Amino acid sequence: MFDPGYFEKMRGRTLRVAQVIPEEVFETSPIGHGFSFGDLLRHMVHIERYMYAENVQGRPSLYDGHDGPRGKAAVLEYVAKLHAEAMTVFRSLDADALQRPATTPGGATMPAWKWLRAMLEHEAHHRGQLYTYLSILNIQTPPLYGLTSEEVRDRKGGGQ
């Protein structure tokens, strides 16, 4: 099933990465095309609020792109606002509502909980893009779960 608390933790990991994006590159793409850092964050929250939150209520998607405020502070504030709106919807879903069908923009129908699980995969995908973009720019990123791969390797077998 869908666990709102887990999603909040997941969003926290995304926001930790977003915090290290320098303002001067926030609205750029380090690969010269495609989404900028800001576009990725606006896209994630627009999809969350205007597609997933609508679909699980039995309504069609209202997603119309990733326009919105620009600049790091404004985007992060906007992300928080739309995320809170979506979480109000998600927290209102009881066990029966999570079993009801949600119809995706592509016309597929599945239980709402399964559609929300796809939302988590969508966020993980775009968070990975943020990490990759930052790596291209040689910007240090926070470890995903508290330890770097080197720290995990160094603790092999010891559990320290």
Side-chain angles (χ1 to χ4, degrees):
M1 286 291 181
F2 180 74
D3 177 1
Y6 177 77
F7 184 41
E8 291 287 20
K9 290 176 185 174
M10 187 173 189
R11 177 52 56 87
R13 290 189 289 275
T14 300
L15 292 175
R16 279 194 298 282
V17 176
Q19 290 298 327
V20 304
I21 303 167
E23 180 67 46
E24 62 270 14
V25 300
F26 198 81
E27 295 297 346
T28 66
S29 167
I31 60 173
H33 59 85
F35 283 179
S36 70
F37 289 101
D39 289 339
L40 285 169
L41 290 162
R42 285 185 294 269
H43 169 71
M44 279 189 269
V45 76
H46 280 188
I47 285 284
E48 173 190 356
R49 172 58 192 90
Y50 297 119
M51 187 181 76
Y52 288 102
E54 294 301 314
N55 294 161
V56 297
Q57 295 178 88
R59 300 196 294 239
S61 172
L62 298 175
Y63 177 76
D64 65 355
H66 55 270
D67 289 335
R70 298 182 68 79
K72 184 175 178 175
V75 170
L76 292 178
E77 184 177 316
Y78 187 64
V79 165
K81 176 186 178 293
L82 292 187
H83 176 66
E85 289 177 14
M87 290 306 294
T88 296
V89 171
F90 302 149
R91 285 192 177 99
S92 76
L93 301 172
D94 62 17
D96 289 338
L98 287 167
Q99 292 298 330
R100 282 196 286 266
T103 302
T104 73
T109 302
M110 65 190 72
W113 69 266
K114 191 176 273 191
W115 187 225
L116 291 175
R117 184 176 64 187
M119 177 183 69
L120 302 179
E121 291 184 34
H122 178 260
E123 176 139 345
H125 162 73
H126 287 304
R127 183 184 334 118
Q129 288 180 287
L130 293 173
Y131 272 98
T132 301
Y133 276 13
L134 289 165
S135 177
I136 290 168
L137 297 174
N138 293 313
I139 296 171
Q140 184 73 33
T141 57
L144 186 59
Y145 296 114
L147 296 174
T148 65
S149 65
E150 295 80 11
E151 290 168 330
V152 171
R153 179 199 61 222
D154 292 345
R155 294 176 186 206
K156 179 175 70 176
Q160 298 106 345

